[in-house]
Amino acid sequence: MINTLIGDIGHTSVIVAFVAAVVSSYAYFMASRSKVELSGDNSWRNLARGAFYVHGAAVMMIIFSLFNIIYEHRYEYYYAWSHSSNHLPVYYMISCFWEGQEGSFLLWIFWHVLLGFVLINSYKKNKVWEAPVMAMFSFVQLFLTSMILGVVIGDVKIGSSPFILMRDFMPEAPVFAMDPNFVPTDGTGLNPLLQNYWMVIHPPTLFLGFAATLVPFAFAMAGLWKGKFTEWVKPALPWAHFAAVVLGIGIIMGAYWAYETLNFGGYWNWDPVENAVYIPWLILVGGIHTMIAYRRGKSGLKATYILVIASFLLILYATFLTRSGILGNASVHSFTDLGLSGQLFAYLAVFAVLAIGLLVYRWKFIPTTEKELSTYNGEFWVFIGAIVLCLAAFQVLFTTSIPVYNSFLGFIGIESNAALPADQIEHYTKFQLWGGVAIAILSGVAQLLWWRKGEKESFADALTLPAMLTLLFASLIIVLSKLGVLNDTIDNPAYITLLVAGLFSIFANLSIILNLIHKKVSLSGGAVAHIGIAMMLLGILFSSGYSNIISENTSGMVYSREFPDELNRDNVLLWRNAPVQMDKYTVSYHGQFQEVIGVPGYVDRELLFLTADPYKAIARGQIVANEKVYFDTGDTLELLSPENTYYEVKYKERETGKAFTLYPRAQVNENMGLLASPDIKHSVSMDLYTHVSGLAPEEKEWGELKEYVLSAGDTIILNDYVAIFNGIEQIKQVPGVKLAPGDIAVQADMKILGETKNYHAHPVLMIKDQMMGRVPEEVADLGLRLTFMNIDTENDKFTIGVNATQKDWIILKAMEKPFVSILWIGTIVMSIGFVMAIVRRKDEGGSPRAAKPKQARKAQVA
Amino acid sequence: MKKTHIIGILVIAVAIVIIMSSVGDASTYVSFGEAMELAEEGNDTKVHVVGRLKKDSQGHIVGMQYDPLIDPNYFTFTLVDTNRVEQQVVYFNPKPQDFERSEQVVITGSMQKNVFVADKILLKCPSKYVEKEVQQNTASL
């Protein structure tokens, strides 16, 4: 039966949330007016605050309703039907909650609400900022909630509601003409690529980062608006750090998800959707640097305004890019157009006009210092660093926007056929590599100058030790690589430069930390974060620059086709159980495995008798893992995800004899083709990354049935294998069949001698309800199917039918990625540095305790 | 000249270099005819070509060849571009699994001698973009 109540609750809550956001932003606006502020009248503020709390409560109600629809499998709702399915575990229900655009907007809205609550309550003693900052918050919420309104006025559609019913979404479907109360029994499920634990935690992190960029922006706007041109920096700074670290972690989580789940062979593909979040992050980090420089030297406030405002506008631009469908031709994973592009553009345009307009209007009031910065001054180099970050961001922005230029030119009637660069990785690397070099060097130099307060001699002294260590270690690494200790020789000048720069940044910042340990270690957050960044750069350098495909085709096939040129024959074909030499390994493929609930690791599909319900199987034999028996023959098993197959690939290092097994995953999805996920062997110095890039067809073509009449003990040759017929035995159970009293089942016992091991096959012949039934047995490893055809009891002869087929195979691609672990460790180090900086800036700045003396002084002046 | 001015000029210079170089790297959507002209001029920059698979009157795909047992890294097919020009395309990688189902194919690469060597294939399957219909057989009555 259709439950319309929960959808109505949800939809009503959206409307309430929208109206409350309108009221709250208007009331906060009124409360921010100087006249109201001076009069001490709190009524506007109280109204606004109340409205924001109502808004927050309504948002929680929307989330509850939508999650209830998904959790209770209410497929009368389009959102549940198109994103969820009956077998989805709860943690993936959470990710299907935000798989759709509407849900991801909700996630964003939710974080704004929480941040809003924190802001309302964190300046209890000092109410200066609440009204103007929250006015901005509510105003943003007004736009965001309008995206999920789902209201049609005339021809204008405002927002897309997640609470739309199936019959309203596709009214022309014949099912609904027959039965308007029709409810599908199952949903279409979550995109299999998103069925990964990173997809459960990565989007909330990213959206918290998105949401957090609003805080410094709102402070900057409040500062401009209220004429508090300098005071906003202090409370905004820890928030800017918070936004940068959360967004940064979110970006890296996405990269790690791609590394683990997608098969493009890396963690960063320069896909427009990836770029869209990278650009604002760079700008925001640049903004943090100018803010810090301003806090110390009182210069660069205008630059700070520009960068903080730009980072938020670029978040909106990113939203527009990924959700308007404008990248449809250019990106694999942008959302499709929901008809919201106009609304998204309006959102972007309103804030761009508002922010830039206000900035221009107030520009001449923003204080500047006339003092010229000395080259021996830390702040000067911090500015240069911010400029490099901006240029790096600009380069990514300029190229990523190519599809936008196309549509814009098309819009004004000029035809343009520009496409993104054919080799994106090469294109972006060309610039970003040097950006990385500059940032590494500047972060070292600027840190040294910053803490030395810029006297020439002491700077030269400070520089000596890190520079010496850098040259020592860099030459050591290069020499080692020449001697063949590392897998590759490091001789590319650009890579050597990045190596030297990265090492310099690490040593310079380490020397800062060592110095600060004696004084005040809590100040070293910046140095720690910079070490993290330098480690990330080095990790990227080794893992990408020296990534090595090892699955080159060594089959010795002669190319007699068009091109004898050097080609990347990057994939290798593996026959089941036939080892192949690949680089320093011997690899072999050993069959298809499945995940069974309650059994650790993977279970060989040959042990599973599949049933009509794809999620259930019957054990053909004992299911053993780690020498423990989990299931006995005949037990019913539950499969975790039957569409995913794991391919067992054994690696053996020929020199050392070390062996390990990888299980790359793949599924053939009817909508999306082959979805392959790698399996990765991690080690300290190297990741071995293996994925399947082609599969033998699922439907096997069986050869003609050949019949053999055998007596117990006979030996025959099948498909080049020796097979021994041991005899027959009566059995009480047949997997998947219910035997009634009077039914008889017998199985033949065949032993087949394979290359590496022996196989037992037990084809079954039964008489059930006076009908003859046969359950053939397949030995996939050998490409054989045995059928017990008949029994001649008088002569003790048995007829066995045999079909042969081509053996199973997979196409494999494998690559080595050196020192990719340094990238992930660097991310953690960077985050620790950021957190240290947040703690320090919070203690120093925003707290009421620190604010007091300032107020007192003001009072004296007054 | 003040230091800030020098920096400003440098920044503008770098920005111009970035723009010029990005414009130079940007690829274009072309037809096979234009791709051939480029190749004849000795220009081997990679281009994008949009096309459809060649099909016979029964809707079977024509000119597609992939036998992983002989060579898993060789896949060839015939693409018809928007000007109805047919061209053999070679892709030295395994065949994308849902290739036959695609409505439209975007390839990146360049003409070499008389074949187009693709290094990237972007498929557009109708099912990827259009929501599936509800199937009658899922009815619960």
Side-chain angles (χ1 to χ4, degrees):
Chain A
M1 198 52 224
I2 287 189
N3 180 339
T4 50
L5 176 68
I6 190 79
D8 289 340
I9 293 175
H11 199 200
T12 313
S13 306
V14 176
I15 294 166
V16 171
F18 176 73
V19 174
V22 174
V23 173
S24 173
S25 54
Y26 180 70
Y28 266 128
F29 173 77
M30 295 305 282
S32 316
R33 289 183 313 164
S34 314
K35 208 168 74 189
V36 178
E37 263 182 0
L38 285 175
S39 71
D41 173 13
N42 280 339
S43 55
W44 277 115
R45 202 191 64 204
N46 292 339
L47 171 66
R49 213 184 257 184
F52 195 80
Y53 278 112
V54 169
H55 169 78
V59 168
M60 301 302 166
M61 211 50 221
I62 307 170
I63 290 171
F64 167 78
S65 310
L66 188 59
F67 193 72
N68 178 277
I69 285 172
I70 293 168
Y71 187 76
E72 300 290 342
H73 303 301
R74 302 189 195 281
Y75 298 122
E76 60 266 40
Y77 289 94
Y78 176 71
Y79 203 86
W81 177 79
S82 64
H83 298 297
S84 179
S85 68
N86 290 338
H87 284 281
L88 212 58
V90 178
Y91 44 93
Y92 290 147
M93 284 185 192
I94 298 173
S95 40
C96 79
F97 179 88
W98 48 66
E99 188 199 14
Q101 275 215 42
E102 298 88 349
S104 64
F105 272 126
L106 256 173
L107 190 58
W108 197 0
I109 293 170
F110 167 76
W111 285 124
H112 277 155
V113 167
L114 282 197
L115 290 176
F117 286 171
V118 172
L119 285 175
I120 290 176
N121 290 305
S122 62
Y123 298 99
K124 279 249 158 71
K125 296 234 174 71
N126 182 357
K127 298 282 180 211
V128 186
W129 294 110
E130 183 188 335
V133 167
M134 288 308 297
M136 202 52 69
F137 257 75
S138 311
F139 196 46
V140 169
Q141 290 297 82
L142 183 162
F143 277 90
L144 284 178
T145 37
S146 80
M147 300 287 175
I148 52 168
L149 260 186
V151 171
V152 179
I153 302 165
D155 287 338
V156 186
K157 179 187 165 198
I158 300 175
S160 164
S161 169
F163 299 106
I164 193 162
L165 289 169
M166 285 289 282
R167 63 174 178 220
D168 298 326
F169 185 80
M170 35 179 90
E172 70 287 350
V175 190
F176 298 111
M178 276 160 46
D179 173 19
N181 286 329
F182 165 77
V183 178
T185 45
D186 200 355
T188 55
L190 178 66
N191 180 338
L193 292 178
L194 302 184
Q195 300 191 14
N196 177 293
Y197 53 98
W198 288 110
M199 272 327 217
V200 183
I201 54 173
H202 150 67
T205 313
L206 204 59
F207 276 102
L208 176 57
F210 266 47
T213 56
L214 174 59
V215 186
F217 172 78
F219 270 107
M221 297 301 281
L224 282 178
W225 175 13
K226 301 301 298 171
K228 296 190 172 68
F229 296 110
T230 57
E231 293 92 330
W232 66 276
V233 177
K234 202 187 221 175
L237 187 52
W239 282 107
H241 276 101
F242 175 72
V245 70
V246 175
L247 199 56
I249 292 173
I251 292 170
I252 290 291
M253 274 181 182
Y256 197 79
W257 163 74
Y259 184 63
E260 264 200 351
T261 314
L262 306 181
N263 56 1
F264 64 78
Y267 38 80
W268 197 259
N269 206 20
W270 295 107
D271 186 276
V273 172
E274 295 169 359
N275 295 349
V277 287
Y278 176 61
I279 300 164
W281 185 78
L282 285 178
I283 298 290
L284 181 61
V285 172
I288 289 174
H289 283 82
T290 60
M291 281 164 111
I292 292 170
Y294 173 75
R295 296 275 286 131
R296 180 190 261 190
K298 302 293 165 218
S299 59
L301 191 56
K302 283 181 173 169
T304 302
Y305 270 111
I306 293 173
L307 293 182
V308 168
I309 288 172
S311 67
F312 179 72
L313 292 181
L314 284 166
I315 290 275
L316 297 187
Y317 182 64
T319 311
F320 173 72
L321 279 183
T322 50
R323 291 164 188 262
S324 67
I326 208 163
L327 296 178
N329 277 336
S331 165
V332 250
H333 50 207
S334 72
F335 286 102
T336 47
D337 190 3
L338 274 185
L340 297 182
S341 44
Q343 211 173 338
L344 283 164
F345 186 75
Y347 179 26
L348 173 62
V350 165
F351 280 90
V353 168
L354 187 72
I356 296 169
L358 193 57
L359 186 62
V360 169
Y361 179 65
R362 296 287 208 170
W363 187 252
K364 55 184 181 293
F365 300 109
I366 300 172
T368 46
T369 45
E370 285 308 310
K371 114 185 144 191
E372 181 79 341
L373 283 176
S374 137
T375 325
Y376 283 97
N377 183 311
E379 289 140 54
F380 175 77
W381 292 105
V382 167
F383 276 114
I384 302 291
I387 289 171
V388 171
L389 287 169
C390 292
L391 284 171
F394 172 73
Q395 190 267 320
V396 183
L397 178 69
F398 185 83
T399 307
T400 308
S401 302
I402 286 177
V404 181
Y405 312 146
N406 269 350
S407 346
F408 178 73
L409 288 175
F411 187 68
I412 57 171
I414 302 168
E415 198 171 316
S416 160
N417 63 352
L420 289 171
D423 192 342
Q424 307 223 20
I425 293 177
E426 190 198 306
H427 169 77
Y428 287 108
T429 305
K430 187 162 74 184
F431 296 99
Q432 300 295 315
L433 177 93
W434 294 108
V437 168
I439 283 161
I441 295 172
L442 287 169
S443 67
V445 171
Q447 278 280 339
L448 288 173
L449 281 167
W450 185 270
W451 295 107
R452 298 283 153 175
K453 315 280 186 206
E455 299 104 43
K456 263 184 207 184
E457 266 120 73
S458 93
F459 173 67
D461 289 348
L463 195 63
T464 317
L465 188 62
M468 276 168 57
L469 284 171
T470 304
L471 294 178
L472 187 71
F473 272 84
S475 35
L476 189 71
I477 292 171
I478 292 167
V479 168
L480 282 179
S481 84
K482 286 237 156 71
L483 293 176
V485 178
L486 305 176
N487 263 24
D488 297 271
T489 312
I490 301 173
D491 48 10
N492 180 327
Y495 292 176
I496 291 176
T497 318
L498 183 56
L499 174 70
V500 172
L503 286 172
F504 170 70
S505 176
I506 290 179
F507 288 121
N509 281 292
L510 265 181
S511 79
I512 305 273
I513 295 176
L514 290 177
N515 263 310
L516 286 176
I517 282 178
H518 302 303
K519 295 169 195 160
K520 207 176 166 203
V521 81
S522 67
L523 297 179
S524 64
V528 174
H530 286 127
I531 290 178
I533 297 273
M535 288 175 75
M536 289 167 75
L537 287 171
L538 292 180
I540 293 167
L541 166 68
F542 282 106
S543 61
S544 299
Y546 294 99
S547 166
N548 184 17
I549 294 175
I550 61 167
S551 56
E552 273 135 13
N553 199 350
T554 50
S555 60
M557 221 74 79
V558 181
Y559 279 75
S560 57
R561 296 202 178 90
E562 294 79 5
F563 294 99
D565 322 44
E566 16 53 78
L567 290 168
N568 301 324
R569 295 167 195 136
D570 294 342
N571 300 274
V572 62
L573 181 88
L574 292 180
W575 292 102
R576 188 129 145 185
N577 295 326
V580 163
Q581 313 263 310
M582 191 173 90
D583 198 57
K584 58 177 186 277
Y585 304 99
T586 301
V587 284
S588 50
Y589 157 56
H590 294 281
Q592 306 176 3
F593 286 65
Q594 291 264 308
E595 275 177 299
V596 173
I597 292 173
V599 183
Y602 307 103
V603 175
D604 196 334
R605 199 179 253 183
E606 294 193 0
L607 283 171
L608 304 174
F609 185 88
L610 302 177
T611 62
D613 179 352
Y615 284 86
K616 292 226 160 67
I618 295 162
R620 279 180 196 273
Q622 276 189 341
I623 308 271
V624 184
N626 307 328
E627 289 166 18
K628 188 180 160 202
V629 178
Y630 283 86
F631 289 101
D632 263 319
T633 315
D635 286 354
T636 303
L637 313 173
E638 272 186 77
L639 301 182
L640 188 66
S641 62
E643 59 273 82
N644 285 320
T645 305
Y646 294 81
Y647 296 84
E648 187 179 82
V649 177
K650 285 191 172 146
Y651 277 82
K652 193 174 168 195
E653 245 180 273
R654 279 199 300 281
E655 266 176 37
T656 58
K658 263 192 282 178
F660 55 90
T661 308
L662 292 181
Y663 291 92
R665 181 181 96 172
Q667 71 163 278
V668 180
N669 184 288
E670 58 172 298
N671 290 322
M672 305 175 75
L674 178 73
L675 300 175
S677 291
D679 196 8
I680 304 166
K681 163 91 177 156
H682 300 280
S683 66
V684 180
S685 64
M686 185 93 76
D687 271 10
L688 180 72
Y689 186 97
T690 301
H691 70 82
V692 169
S693 51
L695 295 174
E698 190 98 355
E699 294 289 313
K700 286 185 189 143
E701 283 177 31
W702 291 101
E704 254 175 62
L705 184 85
K706 254 192 184 164
E707 291 191 6
Y708 296 85
V709 180
L710 303 170
S711 311
D714 279 357
T715 299
I716 48 172
I717 304 288
L718 302 176
N719 229 12
D720 297 339
Y721 297 105
V722 174
I724 303 154
F725 176 66
N726 287 330
I728 63 159
E729 58 197 6
Q730 189 166 0
I731 49 168
K732 298 221 169 65
Q733 279 180 326
V734 179
V737 180
K738 253 211 177 113
L739 290 181
D743 295 348
I744 301 171
V746 283
Q747 66 178 17
D749 180 18
M750 297 279 291
K751 186 174 166 189
I752 308 160
L753 312 178
E755 286 111 338
T756 49
K757 65 172 195 181
N758 298 334
Y759 297 84
H760 286 273
H762 300 114
V764 174
L765 180 71
M766 58 187 166
I767 295 164
K768 185 173 158 52
D769 310 328
Q770 272 131 38
M771 300 269 281
M772 195 91 100
R774 298 182 183 90
V775 183
E777 172 113 40
E778 226 179 283
V779 186
D781 273 5
L782 308 176
L784 289 173
R785 184 171 68 188
L786 305 174
T787 316
F788 194 170
M789 304 296 293
N790 221 336
I791 304 181
D792 176 0
T793 39
E794 280 172 27
N795 302 316
D796 271 346
K797 293 276 188 191
F798 310 94
T799 312
I800 302 288
V802 179
N803 301 82
T805 184
Q806 201 173 51
K807 274 181 18 178
D808 187 22
W809 51 263
I810 56 172
I811 299 175
L812 192 79
K813 189 166 180 177
M815 54 193 109
E816 290 176 331
K817 303 210 159 272
F819 296 111
V820 71
S821 50
I822 299 180
L823 166 60
W824 312 128
I825 297 169
T827 313
I828 297 168
V829 174
M830 177 196 76
S831 310
I832 293 171
F834 264 111
V835 172
M836 289 171 71
I838 294 173
V839 172
R840 175 197 162 197
R841 294 286 170 188
K842 202 171 168 297
D843 288 349
E844 162 205 87
S847 74
R849 202 159 24 105
K852 244 182 202 162
K854 203 169 180 194
Q855 277 180 329
R857 201 168 61 226
K858 248 186 203 162
Q860 279 170 3
V861 174
Chain B
M1 201 154 49
K2 278 206 296 185
K3 215 177 279 161
T4 41
H5 293 156
I6 301 172
I7 294 168
I9 289 167
L10 276 177
V11 168
I12 292 167
V14 175
I16 289 171
V17 169
I18 288 173
I19 292 173
M20 298 306 285
S21 166
S22 298
V23 170
D25 278 1
S27 173
T28 43
Y29 291 100
V30 299
S31 63
F32 281 123
E34 288 166 83
M36 269 173 234
E37 276 169 32
L38 282 173
E40 273 160 26
E41 289 162 14
N43 185 344
D44 59 354
T45 49
K46 286 172 183 159
V47 290
H48 289 64
V49 181
V50 185
R52 282 164 194 282
L53 295 176
K54 191 187 173 191
K55 289 180 180 164
D56 64 15
S57 50
Q58 276 97 49
H60 296 301
I61 298 164
V62 181
M64 192 170 73
Q65 203 191 96
Y66 183 61
D67 189 350
L69 308 185
I70 296 171
D71 185 349
N73 293 307
Y74 180 87
F75 170 47
T76 182
F77 58 96
T78 305
L79 196 70
V80 185
D81 73 6
T82 36
N83 298 341
R84 304 265 172 97
V85 177
E86 284 175 25
Q87 173 61 49
Q88 190 197 356
V89 181
V90 175
Y91 181 56
F92 291 103
N93 265 304
K95 179 179 76 119
Q97 202 87 11
D98 53 351
F99 191 76
E100 297 86 346
R101 296 162 50 85
S102 59
E103 279 285 286
Q104 205 185 41
V105 182
V106 183
I107 51 175
T108 315
S110 59
M111 287 296 294
Q112 289 182 20
K113 295 178 195 156
N114 51 355
V115 296
F116 189 94
V117 177
D119 56 6
K120 235 191 293 180
I121 297 183
L122 188 78
L123 300 177
K124 306 211 119 180
C125 297
S127 49
K128 241 184 237 183
Y129 298 95
V130 182
E131 289 295 343
K132 278 192 293 187
E133 284 293 305
V134 212
Q135 274 157 21
Q136 186 75 63
N137 58 16
T138 58
S140 67
L141 294 169

